Amino acid sequence: MTTYYELTGFQRDLLEAIAGVDDEPYGLALYLDERYADPINHSRLYQNLDQLAELDLITRDELDARTNVYTLTDAGRQELQQQADTLASLCERPRPVVGGDQQ
């Protein structure tokens, strides 16, 4: 099974985008456009979506002849949840004071 850390940064962003807009087929492009300064190459986008589908992290369904809808699988949702839990626990840790007066 693929872990979150084995994915590329772009693939991680895709999982987050799909989780955030899973009921809006056109929302994926809008979400990514807001996150990246340069336009997303369609070839790069669809190659990465295909890889995530092959890893069983997302499913792809046809909305119509020209539009696909992507949703997280249970495995994809679990990977995002584990990452969210890890980040939340890191934020709860006390932070050391660096460079302050030591008395």
Side-chain angles (χ1 to χ4, degrees):
M1 179 169 170
T2 300
T3 66
Y4 189 81
Y5 297 105
E6 293 173 306
L7 301 173
T8 67
F10 186 67
Q11 289 170 335
R12 294 176 199 164
D13 287 347
L14 284 173
L15 287 180
E16 291 174 20
I18 292 167
V21 296
D22 61 357
D23 62 341
E24 170 79 38
Y26 303 102
L28 181 59
L30 296 173
Y31 180 93
L32 292 171
D33 285 345
E34 291 173 1
R35 190 168 263 210
Y36 288 86
D38 294 327
I40 304 296
N41 177 299
H42 286 279
S43 175
R44 176 184 182 202
L45 174 65
Y46 292 111
Q47 285 176 2
N48 281 278
L49 288 169
D50 288 344
Q51 289 173 354
L52 291 172
E54 289 171 11
L55 293 170
D56 194 36
L57 297 174
I58 63 170
T59 58
R60 174 184 44 239
D61 297 303
E62 275 191 24
L63 180 65
D64 58 41
R66 296 178 44 107
T67 307
N68 292 323
V69 176
Y70 299 93
T71 55
L72 293 178
T73 62
D74 289 342
R77 192 169 285 104
Q78 181 179 356
E79 288 299 323
L80 278 180
Q81 185 61 56
Q82 287 176 343
Q83 179 63 9
D85 292 345
T86 298
L87 291 174
S89 70
L90 291 173
C91 291
E92 293 171 0
R93 288 183 164 179
R95 303 179 97 196
V97 177
V98 178
D101 289 336
Q102 303 291 324
Q103 295 182 0

XYZ file of all heavy atoms in Angstrom:
825
model
N 0.837 -1.186 0.000
C 0.000 0.000 0.000
C 0.879 1.245 0.000
O 1.887 1.323 0.677
C -0.903 -0.006 1.226
C -1.782 1.188 1.302
S -3.033 0.970 2.556
C -3.655 2.600 2.572
N 0.502 2.209 -0.764
C 1.233 3.467 -0.852
C 0.935 4.327 0.369
O -0.187 4.394 0.824
C 0.808 4.222 -2.118
O 1.102 3.415 -3.253
C 1.523 5.546 -2.244
N 1.981 4.963 0.879
C 1.779 5.877 1.997
C 1.776 7.312 1.478
O 2.254 7.597 0.379
C 2.872 5.732 3.068
O 4.123 6.142 2.501
C 2.970 4.306 3.575
N 1.269 8.192 2.298
C 1.185 9.608 1.965
C 2.545 10.165 1.552
O 2.648 10.953 0.626
C 0.631 10.351 3.181
C 0.274 11.792 2.928
C -0.931 12.126 2.327
C 1.125 12.816 3.311
C -1.280 13.448 2.098
C 0.783 14.138 3.094
C -0.418 14.444 2.486
O -0.747 15.758 2.268
N 3.595 9.720 2.230
C 4.928 10.263 1.976
C 5.549 9.743 0.688
O 6.516 10.307 0.195
C 5.847 9.985 3.165
C 5.337 10.674 4.396
C 4.711 9.958 5.414
C 5.422 12.053 4.531
C 4.214 10.602 6.531
C 4.925 12.699 5.642
C 4.317 11.970 6.636
O 3.816 12.614 7.726
N 4.990 8.680 0.126
C 5.484 8.168 -1.151
C 4.882 8.917 -2.348
O 5.359 8.782 -3.464
C 5.181 6.673 -1.268
C 5.967 5.842 -0.279
C 5.544 4.392 -0.281
O 4.338 4.119 -0.107
O 6.437 3.543 -0.463
N 3.847 9.679 -2.095
C 3.220 10.466 -3.150
C 4.028 11.728 -3.415
O 4.717 12.228 -2.530
C 1.802 10.859 -2.742
C 0.839 9.726 -2.442
C -0.468 10.278 -1.883
C 0.589 8.873 -3.672
N 3.916 12.253 -4.620
C 4.555 13.537 -4.904
C 3.752 14.643 -4.228
O 2.582 14.453 -3.855
C 4.591 13.809 -6.421
O 3.255 13.986 -6.898
C 5.294 12.689 -7.187
N 4.343 15.789 -4.091
C 3.637 16.930 -3.523
C 2.398 17.278 -4.334
O 1.348 17.611 -3.777
N 2.493 17.185 -5.643
C 1.350 17.479 -6.505
C 0.228 16.469 -6.275
O -0.947 16.831 -6.211
C 1.786 17.490 -7.969
C 0.712 17.931 -8.917
C 0.247 19.241 -8.913
C 0.168 17.041 -9.825
C -0.750 19.654 -9.786
C -0.830 17.445 -10.707
C -1.287 18.751 -10.684
N 0.583 15.202 -6.116
C -0.425 14.179 -5.854
C -1.090 14.404 -4.493
O -2.300 14.224 -4.351
C 0.195 12.784 -5.924
C 0.563 12.389 -7.333
C 1.379 11.126 -7.399
O 2.067 10.748 -6.440
N 1.331 10.454 -8.531
N -0.319 14.821 -3.511
C -0.891 15.149 -2.203
C -1.878 16.308 -2.333
O -2.964 16.291 -1.752
C 0.207 15.511 -1.211
C 1.118 14.367 -0.869
C 2.213 14.854 0.044
N 3.322 13.933 0.026
C 4.527 14.211 0.469
N 4.791 15.414 0.986
N 5.484 13.324 0.419
N -1.493 17.327 -3.108
C -2.386 18.466 -3.337
C -3.663 18.026 -4.051
O -4.743 18.532 -3.756
C -1.686 19.550 -4.160
C -0.641 20.308 -3.365
O -0.612 20.193 -2.120
O 0.164 21.018 -4.001
N -3.540 17.075 -4.970
C -4.716 16.572 -5.665
C -5.668 15.876 -4.692
O -6.886 16.073 -4.766
C -4.320 15.599 -6.780
C -3.758 16.225 -8.049
C -3.244 15.138 -8.994
C -4.797 17.076 -8.741
N -5.120 15.070 -3.784
C -5.975 14.409 -2.794
C -6.719 15.439 -1.952
O -7.927 15.307 -1.710
C -5.153 13.497 -1.883
C -4.648 12.196 -2.484
C -3.858 11.418 -1.438
C -5.781 11.353 -3.038
N -6.013 16.471 -1.520
C -6.651 17.522 -0.725
C -7.724 18.246 -1.546
O -8.801 18.545 -1.034
C -5.609 18.519 -0.238
C -4.659 17.945 0.789
C -3.548 18.911 1.161
O -3.704 20.134 0.940
O -2.523 18.438 1.677
N -7.416 18.518 -2.801
C -8.370 19.215 -3.656
C -9.622 18.373 -3.863
O -10.742 18.886 -3.785
C -7.721 19.542 -5.004
N -9.449 17.096 -4.110
C -10.596 16.211 -4.318
C -11.429 16.126 -3.048
O -12.663 16.158 -3.098
C -10.122 14.824 -4.794
C -9.546 14.951 -6.210
C -11.254 13.803 -4.741
C -8.761 13.746 -6.672
N -10.773 16.073 -1.912
C -11.512 16.037 -0.640
C -12.301 17.321 -0.438
O -13.412 17.299 0.089
C -10.540 15.837 0.521
N -11.769 18.427 -0.895
C -12.414 19.718 -0.691
C -13.521 20.032 -1.667
O -14.389 20.851 -1.380
N -13.526 19.398 -2.828
C -14.504 19.744 -3.862
C -15.164 18.510 -4.469
O -15.564 18.524 -5.619
C -13.852 20.589 -4.991
C -13.379 21.913 -4.470
C -12.734 19.823 -5.671
N -15.309 17.442 -3.697
C -15.761 16.176 -4.283
C -17.183 16.195 -4.836
O -17.576 15.272 -5.522
C -15.593 15.022 -3.298
C -16.391 15.206 -2.024
O -17.043 16.238 -1.852
O -16.356 14.297 -1.197
N -17.958 17.235 -4.600
C -19.291 17.288 -5.182
C -19.390 18.298 -6.325
O -20.463 18.553 -6.847
C -20.333 17.609 -4.111
C -20.108 18.976 -3.479
O -18.992 19.513 -3.592
O -21.048 19.496 -2.859
N -18.285 18.873 -6.732
C -18.249 19.911 -7.765
C -17.197 19.510 -8.798
O -16.001 19.685 -8.577
C -17.878 21.252 -7.126
C -17.584 22.354 -8.090
C -18.847 22.968 -8.651
O -19.814 23.106 -7.909
O -18.843 23.301 -9.841
N -17.604 18.953 -9.963
C -16.622 18.432 -10.913
C -15.640 19.471 -11.444
O -14.514 19.143 -11.756
C -17.478 17.859 -12.044
C -18.825 18.427 -11.861
C -18.967 18.782 -10.413
N -16.048 20.715 -11.524
C -15.150 21.736 -12.055
C -14.329 22.396 -10.958
O -13.430 23.162 -11.233
C -15.945 22.788 -12.829
C -16.754 22.175 -13.944
C -18.116 21.967 -13.812
C -16.130 21.751 -15.114
C -18.850 21.371 -14.828
C -16.858 21.149 -16.132
C -18.212 20.962 -15.980
O -18.930 20.365 -16.977
N -14.635 22.096 -9.719
C -13.946 22.706 -8.598
C -12.500 22.315 -8.477
O -11.688 23.066 -7.961
N -12.152 21.140 -8.975
C -10.773 20.668 -8.871
C -9.820 21.634 -9.566
O -8.815 22.040 -8.990
C -10.658 19.272 -9.470
C -9.295 18.609 -9.427
C -8.804 18.467 -7.989
C -9.356 17.237 -10.093
N -10.131 22.030 -10.774
C -9.276 22.964 -11.512
C -9.214 24.308 -10.809
O -8.140 24.919 -10.717
C -9.770 23.127 -12.938
N -10.343 24.775 -10.309
C -10.359 26.065 -9.613
C -9.517 26.023 -8.348
O -8.766 26.947 -8.047
C -11.794 26.461 -9.266
C -12.721 26.709 -10.450
C -14.141 26.933 -9.956
C -12.237 27.868 -11.278
N -9.616 24.945 -7.593
C -8.841 24.787 -6.357
C -7.342 24.811 -6.664
O -6.581 25.494 -5.990
C -9.221 23.468 -5.692
C -8.498 23.190 -4.406
C -9.051 23.562 -3.188
C -7.274 22.524 -4.390
C -8.405 23.296 -1.998
C -6.620 22.253 -3.210
C -7.193 22.643 -2.012
O -6.540 22.379 -0.845
N -6.928 24.081 -7.686
C -5.507 24.023 -8.036
C -5.015 25.350 -8.583
O -3.888 25.757 -8.305
C -5.258 22.900 -9.035
C -5.451 21.494 -8.472
C -5.396 20.465 -9.586
C -4.419 21.178 -7.401
N -5.844 26.046 -9.350
C -5.453 27.353 -9.889
C -5.165 28.338 -8.762
O -4.271 29.172 -8.869
C -6.538 27.924 -10.799
C -6.570 27.236 -12.157
O -5.600 26.541 -12.503
O -7.584 27.396 -12.861
N -5.918 28.235 -7.672
C -5.693 29.116 -6.526
C -4.410 28.771 -5.788
O -3.788 29.627 -5.175
C -6.873 29.022 -5.558
C -8.147 29.615 -6.091
C -9.335 29.360 -5.180
O -9.165 28.731 -4.114
O -10.442 29.803 -5.529
N -3.991 27.538 -5.842
C -2.842 27.058 -5.083
C -1.518 27.241 -5.831
O -0.483 27.410 -5.213
C -3.056 25.589 -4.751
C -2.061 25.046 -3.761
C -2.516 23.713 -3.285
N -3.208 23.915 -2.031
C -3.239 23.019 -1.069
N -2.671 21.870 -1.231
N -3.862 23.273 0.050
N -1.553 27.172 -7.144
C -0.338 27.241 -7.945
C -0.284 28.541 -8.745
O -1.271 28.933 -9.360
C -0.256 26.053 -8.907
C 0.048 24.751 -8.202
C -0.958 23.974 -7.662
C 1.356 24.319 -8.066
C -0.683 22.792 -6.996
C 1.651 23.139 -7.411
C 0.626 22.376 -6.875
O 0.915 21.209 -6.223
N 0.882 29.159 -8.764
C 1.045 30.423 -9.487
C 1.001 30.213 -10.999
O 0.430 31.025 -11.725
C 2.366 31.082 -9.094
N 1.605 29.115 -11.464
C 1.625 28.833 -12.898
C 0.460 27.915 -13.262
O 0.034 27.085 -12.446
C 2.945 28.149 -13.285
C 4.145 29.072 -13.102
O 3.987 30.292 -13.304
O 5.238 28.575 -12.746
N -0.029 28.034 -14.483
C -1.121 27.155 -14.909
C -0.704 25.679 -14.835
O 0.459 25.344 -15.077
C -1.383 27.566 -16.358
C -0.782 28.917 -16.504
C 0.352 28.987 -15.525
N -1.647 24.821 -14.508
C -1.387 23.387 -14.416
C -1.504 22.788 -15.815
O -2.539 22.940 -16.477
C -2.402 22.694 -13.478
C -2.401 23.343 -12.100
C -2.139 21.197 -13.399
C -1.128 23.219 -11.335
N -0.464 22.106 -16.245
C -0.457 21.418 -17.524
C -1.465 20.268 -17.459
O -1.423 19.456 -16.539
C 0.970 20.910 -17.785
C 1.085 20.122 -19.046
O 0.457 19.089 -19.207
N 1.940 20.598 -19.932
N -2.368 20.197 -18.434
C -3.412 19.166 -18.419
C -2.834 17.759 -18.445
O -3.366 16.857 -17.800
C -4.380 19.372 -19.581
C -5.290 20.529 -19.376
N -6.414 20.451 -18.604
C -5.219 21.811 -19.820
C -7.012 21.628 -18.585
N -6.301 22.473 -19.306
N -1.753 17.575 -19.173
C -1.114 16.265 -19.219
C -0.632 15.854 -17.829
O -0.856 14.729 -17.395
C 0.060 16.290 -20.206
O 0.744 15.061 -20.177
N 0.016 16.766 -17.138
C 0.490 16.505 -15.772
C -0.685 16.180 -14.848
O -0.624 15.252 -14.052
C 1.254 17.720 -15.250
C 1.707 17.592 -13.825
C 2.369 18.876 -13.352
N 2.856 18.733 -11.995
C 3.084 19.746 -11.190
N 2.896 20.980 -11.595
N 3.518 19.547 -9.960
N -1.743 16.956 -14.953
C -2.918 16.764 -14.116
C -3.495 15.366 -14.310
O -3.670 14.606 -13.349
C -3.974 17.820 -14.435
C -5.316 17.658 -13.734
C -5.172 17.827 -12.229
C -6.323 18.652 -14.299
N -3.770 14.994 -15.558
C -4.452 13.728 -15.813
C -3.541 12.526 -15.594
O -4.004 11.468 -15.160
C -5.095 13.731 -17.190
C -6.235 14.724 -17.221
C -6.159 15.882 -17.970
C -7.373 14.519 -16.440
C -7.188 16.812 -17.955
C -8.403 15.438 -16.412
C -8.305 16.576 -17.178
O -9.326 17.491 -17.144
N -2.246 12.667 -15.831
C -1.317 11.568 -15.515
C -1.309 11.296 -14.015
O -1.320 10.140 -13.589
C 0.095 11.900 -15.992
C 0.280 11.794 -17.475
C 1.670 12.230 -17.918
O 2.515 12.586 -17.110
N 1.901 12.193 -19.215
N -1.297 12.339 -13.223
C -1.288 12.172 -11.772
C -2.625 11.644 -11.257
O -2.662 10.819 -10.344
C -0.896 13.470 -11.079
C 0.591 13.679 -11.112
O 1.315 13.137 -10.294
N 1.076 14.439 -12.086
N -3.729 12.110 -11.828
C -5.033 11.570 -11.443
C -5.110 10.081 -11.781
O -5.609 9.281 -10.984
C -6.155 12.339 -12.137
C -6.411 13.749 -11.620
C -7.348 14.501 -12.565
C -6.964 13.730 -10.200
N -4.588 9.702 -12.947
C -4.565 8.287 -13.320
C -3.736 7.468 -12.339
O -4.126 6.364 -11.945
C -3.998 8.105 -14.731
C -4.948 8.567 -15.826
O -6.156 8.753 -15.542
O -4.477 8.744 -16.969
N -2.586 7.996 -11.917
C -1.742 7.281 -10.953
C -2.450 7.118 -9.614
O -2.386 6.054 -8.997
C -0.408 8.001 -10.768
C 0.499 7.901 -11.969
C 1.750 8.762 -11.847
O 1.895 9.531 -10.896
N 2.635 8.648 -12.820
N -3.138 8.158 -9.158
C -3.871 8.062 -7.896
C -5.002 7.038 -8.002
O -5.274 6.310 -7.043
C -4.414 9.426 -7.482
C -3.364 10.456 -7.061
C -4.010 11.814 -6.861
C -2.633 10.008 -5.808
N -5.633 6.957 -9.165
C -6.687 5.953 -9.378
C -6.082 4.544 -9.375
O -6.649 3.615 -8.785
C -7.422 6.228 -10.679
N -4.916 4.377 -10.013
C -4.244 3.079 -10.026
C -3.833 2.644 -8.618
O -3.814 1.451 -8.314
C -3.016 3.124 -10.932
C -3.343 3.206 -12.403
C -2.112 3.464 -13.260
O -0.976 3.371 -12.753
O -2.305 3.781 -14.455
N -3.518 3.608 -7.766
C -3.141 3.315 -6.378
C -4.366 3.122 -5.483
O -4.229 2.903 -4.289
C -2.271 4.449 -5.824
C -0.904 4.605 -6.469
C -0.245 5.911 -6.019
C -0.019 3.404 -6.139
N -5.554 3.214 -6.073
C -6.825 3.054 -5.366
C -7.020 4.113 -4.275
O -7.617 3.849 -3.247
C -6.954 1.643 -4.782
C -8.374 1.336 -4.339
O -9.322 1.796 -5.013
O -8.547 0.671 -3.301
N -6.515 5.315 -4.527
C -6.717 6.420 -3.601
C -7.886 7.302 -4.030
O -8.446 8.025 -3.217
C -5.434 7.245 -3.463
C -4.245 6.484 -2.875
C -2.986 7.344 -2.925
C -4.536 6.034 -1.458
N -8.237 7.236 -5.329
C -9.389 7.964 -5.852
C -10.134 7.068 -6.836
O -9.584 6.083 -7.339
C -8.995 9.285 -6.555
C -8.127 9.026 -7.786
C -8.317 10.242 -5.597
C -7.886 10.247 -8.666
N -11.385 7.429 -7.087
C -12.141 6.803 -8.167
C -12.480 7.874 -9.189
O -12.575 9.057 -8.866
C -13.457 6.164 -7.668
O -14.247 7.172 -7.049
C -13.185 5.040 -6.692
N -12.638 7.426 -10.422
C -12.983 8.335 -11.512
C -14.280 7.824 -12.132
O -14.374 6.666 -12.524
C -11.867 8.346 -12.550
C -12.170 9.143 -13.777
C -11.076 9.069 -14.837
N -10.595 7.716 -15.031
C -9.309 7.345 -14.848
N -8.406 8.207 -14.477
N -8.940 6.104 -15.043
N -15.273 8.675 -12.186
C -16.553 8.332 -12.806
C -16.879 9.376 -13.853
O -16.540 10.549 -13.690
C -17.671 8.291 -11.757
C -17.438 7.204 -10.722
O -17.303 6.029 -11.127
O -17.375 7.537 -9.525
N -17.549 8.955 -14.917
C -17.955 9.890 -15.971
C -19.196 10.654 -15.552
O -20.180 10.061 -15.138
C -18.249 9.141 -17.268
C -17.050 8.889 -18.107
C -17.413 8.379 -19.498
O -18.544 8.643 -19.963
O -16.553 7.729 -20.092
N -19.104 11.963 -15.641
C -20.274 12.809 -15.435
C -21.021 12.944 -16.763
O -22.228 12.827 -16.830
C -19.857 14.186 -14.910
C -20.981 15.168 -14.654
C -21.869 14.665 -13.518
C -20.415 16.534 -14.296
N -20.240 13.190 -17.816
C -20.761 13.207 -19.185
C -19.597 12.833 -20.099
O -18.536 12.453 -19.624
C -21.394 14.567 -19.537
C -20.432 15.738 -19.393
O -19.247 15.610 -19.784
O -20.856 16.798 -18.899
N -19.787 12.944 -21.391
C -18.765 12.496 -22.341
C -17.444 13.258 -22.221
O -16.399 12.759 -22.619
C -19.295 12.609 -23.771
N -17.479 14.452 -21.641
C -16.269 15.275 -21.554
C -15.776 15.517 -20.137
O -14.716 16.074 -19.941
C -16.519 16.627 -22.224
C -16.783 16.541 -23.702
C -17.066 17.912 -24.286
N -16.170 18.934 -23.808
C -15.196 19.495 -24.521
N -15.003 19.120 -25.745
N -14.443 20.438 -24.001
N -16.540 15.117 -19.139
C -16.209 15.478 -17.764
C -16.201 14.263 -16.853
O -17.142 13.472 -16.867
C -17.242 16.496 -17.212
O -17.339 17.588 -18.123
C -16.825 17.003 -15.848
N -15.126 14.141 -16.085
C -15.021 13.097 -15.074
C -15.201 13.702 -13.693
O -14.907 14.879 -13.479
C -13.655 12.406 -15.132
C -13.477 11.589 -16.387
O -14.419 10.960 -16.863
N -12.283 11.590 -16.930
N -15.663 12.888 -12.780
C -15.788 13.273 -11.380
C -14.848 12.373 -10.592
O -14.845 11.155 -10.783
C -17.241 13.092 -10.885
C -17.334 13.400 -9.406
C -18.182 13.963 -11.675
N -14.055 12.974 -9.726
C -13.088 12.229 -8.919
C -13.514 12.283 -7.457
O -13.873 13.339 -6.947
C -11.689 12.830 -9.079
C -11.210 12.774 -10.511
C -11.414 13.834 -11.383
C -10.568 11.645 -10.991
C -10.999 13.774 -12.692
C -10.141 11.571 -12.312
C -10.353 12.640 -13.148
O -9.943 12.577 -14.451
N -13.455 11.140 -6.794
C -13.768 11.076 -5.372
C -12.715 10.246 -4.665
O -12.074 9.373 -5.266
C -15.166 10.466 -5.117
O -15.223 9.182 -5.749
C -16.268 11.340 -5.650
N -12.538 10.532 -3.389
C -11.603 9.751 -2.588
C -12.177 8.370 -2.304
O -13.368 8.229 -2.073
C -11.340 10.437 -1.246
C -10.607 11.768 -1.258
C -10.506 12.299 0.162
C -9.233 11.630 -1.868
N -11.305 7.377 -2.317
C -11.686 6.056 -1.836
C -11.485 6.049 -0.323
O -10.954 7.011 0.249
C -10.814 4.965 -2.468
O -9.452 5.194 -2.068
C -10.933 4.957 -3.992
N -11.873 4.973 0.318
C -11.618 4.851 1.754
C -10.123 4.939 2.039
O -9.701 5.566 3.007
C -12.187 3.540 2.300
C -13.703 3.543 2.356
O -14.309 4.633 2.315
O -14.284 2.443 2.435
N -9.312 4.326 1.166
C -7.853 4.372 1.355
C -7.327 5.800 1.211
O -6.462 6.233 1.979
C -7.162 3.446 0.362
N -7.834 6.537 0.249
C -7.418 7.929 0.060
C -7.813 8.791 1.239
O -7.033 9.622 1.714
N -9.020 8.588 1.720
C -9.502 9.342 2.888
C -8.652 9.006 4.120
O -8.305 9.881 4.906
C -10.977 9.011 3.130
C -11.656 9.922 4.108
C -13.160 9.717 4.119
N -13.758 10.313 2.910
C -14.189 9.631 1.846
N -14.129 8.337 1.826
N -14.685 10.265 0.812
N -8.295 7.740 4.266
C -7.475 7.312 5.402
C -6.089 7.959 5.356
O -5.576 8.399 6.376
C -7.349 5.796 5.419
C -6.544 5.268 6.574
C -6.460 3.748 6.573
O -7.054 3.060 5.745
N -5.700 3.216 7.497
N -5.491 8.029 4.182
C -4.169 8.668 4.055
C -4.246 10.137 4.456
O -3.387 10.636 5.180
C -3.631 8.531 2.624
C -3.190 7.137 2.250
C -2.062 6.611 3.115
O -1.166 7.388 3.508
O -2.078 5.401 3.402
N -5.267 10.844 3.995
C -5.423 12.255 4.371
C -5.675 12.404 5.865
O -5.135 13.307 6.507
C -6.572 12.891 3.595
C -6.267 13.367 2.190
C -7.517 13.969 1.558
C -5.146 14.374 2.166
N -6.490 11.523 6.432
C -6.800 11.604 7.855
C -5.555 11.358 8.700
O -5.326 12.055 9.694
C -7.889 10.594 8.234
C -8.339 10.727 9.670
C -8.946 12.082 9.971
O -9.898 12.507 9.307
N -8.422 12.801 10.949
N -4.733 10.391 8.307
C -3.495 10.133 9.049
C -2.570 11.333 8.996
O -1.947 11.690 10.002
C -2.787 8.887 8.498
C -3.471 7.600 8.868
C -2.824 6.387 8.230
O -2.054 6.487 7.278
N -3.154 5.224 8.746
N -2.480 11.981 7.850
C -1.650 13.174 7.718
C -2.198 14.303 8.578
O -1.448 15.011 9.251
C -1.525 13.604 6.257
C -0.709 14.845 6.041
C 0.748 14.712 6.469
O 1.239 13.645 6.793
N 1.443 15.826 6.471
N -3.513 14.478 8.563
C -4.139 15.520 9.381
C -3.891 15.259 10.864
O -3.583 16.190 11.622
C -5.638 15.587 9.095
N -3.985 14.018 11.283
C -3.736 13.664 12.679
C -2.288 13.947 13.071
O -2.015 14.475 14.150
C -4.062 12.195 12.944
C -5.546 11.886 12.838
O -6.367 12.836 12.833
O -5.881 10.685 12.736
N -1.359 13.618 12.162
C 0.059 13.875 12.420
C 0.310 15.367 12.578
O 0.982 15.801 13.519
C 0.932 13.309 11.278
O 0.755 11.892 11.225
C 2.400 13.639 11.480
N -0.227 16.169 11.677
C -0.029 17.622 11.748
C -0.665 18.201 13.002
O -0.079 19.073 13.654
C -0.587 18.297 10.497
C 0.175 18.021 9.204
C -0.572 18.624 8.014
C 1.589 18.540 9.271
N -1.844 17.723 13.352
C -2.519 18.219 14.554
C -1.694 17.910 15.798
O -1.552 18.764 16.682
C -3.909 17.614 14.672
N -1.123 16.712 15.862
C -0.325 16.366 17.042
C 0.949 17.195 17.108
O 1.407 17.555 18.192
C -0.006 14.869 17.069
O 0.904 14.523 16.048
N 1.522 17.525 15.965
C 2.722 18.368 15.957
C 2.398 19.781 16.426
O 3.207 20.416 17.115
C 3.342 18.405 14.562
C 3.983 17.112 14.081
C 4.397 17.243 12.624
C 5.159 16.721 14.946
N 1.243 20.272 16.086
C 0.837 21.620 16.491
C 0.555 21.702 17.990
O 0.633 22.784 18.574
C -0.395 22.060 15.707
S -0.042 22.349 13.966
N 0.240 20.595 18.604
C -0.059 20.574 20.036
C 1.188 20.488 20.898
O 1.129 20.710 22.101
C -0.979 19.389 20.345
C -2.351 19.552 19.723
C -3.190 18.297 19.830
O -2.720 17.276 20.388
O -4.332 18.328 19.338
N 2.332 20.187 20.318
C 3.575 20.069 21.087
C 4.038 21.430 21.577
O 3.903 22.438 20.882
C 4.689 19.486 20.218
C 4.526 18.040 19.925
C 5.705 17.579 19.129
N 5.779 16.138 19.156
C 6.694 15.452 18.528
N 7.635 16.084 17.834
N 6.704 14.154 18.595
N 4.626 21.485 22.776
C 5.202 22.755 23.236
C 6.387 23.127 22.352
O 7.128 22.272 21.895
C 5.633 22.467 24.669
C 5.642 20.994 24.808
C 4.772 20.413 23.734
N 6.537 24.401 22.107
C 7.615 24.883 21.241
C 8.745 25.412 22.098
O 8.517 26.188 23.022
C 7.102 25.979 20.323
C 5.920 25.495 19.487
C 5.410 26.570 18.627
N 6.024 26.346 17.324
C 6.062 27.239 16.371
N 5.569 28.422 16.557
N 6.622 26.955 15.228
N 9.979 25.012 21.805
C 11.108 25.545 22.560
C 11.345 27.012 22.230
O 11.066 27.450 21.111
C 12.284 24.684 22.092
C 11.889 24.180 20.754
C 10.384 24.066 20.776
N 11.840 27.752 23.187
C 12.201 29.147 22.964
C 13.610 29.161 22.417
O 14.522 28.585 22.998
C 12.110 29.952 24.284
C 12.569 31.376 24.055
C 10.701 29.915 24.829
N 13.800 29.842 21.304
C 15.100 29.885 20.651
C 15.549 31.338 20.561
O 14.785 32.203 20.147
C 15.042 29.268 19.240
C 16.393 29.365 18.556
C 14.571 27.830 19.297
N 16.776 31.605 20.978
C 17.350 32.923 20.821
C 16.878 33.964 21.833
O 17.172 35.136 21.677
N 16.150 33.547 22.826
C 15.678 34.478 23.835
C 16.713 34.648 24.939
O 17.737 33.972 24.987
N 16.482 35.593 25.840
C 17.372 35.779 26.970
C 17.273 34.574 27.878
O 16.182 34.157 28.265
C 16.996 37.038 27.763
C 17.334 38.295 27.009
O 18.231 38.246 26.129
O 16.704 39.341 27.280
N 18.394 34.019 28.215
C 18.456 32.875 29.120
C 18.861 33.362 30.485
O 19.965 33.834 30.697
C 19.478 31.842 28.604
C 19.211 31.346 27.189
C 17.965 30.489 27.120
O 17.669 29.742 28.029
N 17.219 30.621 26.040
N 17.987 33.337 31.478
C 18.328 33.788 32.827
C 18.185 32.677 33.804
O 17.426 31.836 33.789
C 17.465 34.966 33.241
C 17.754 36.157 32.376
C 16.916 37.354 32.844
O 16.132 37.311 33.778
N 17.113 38.457 32.157
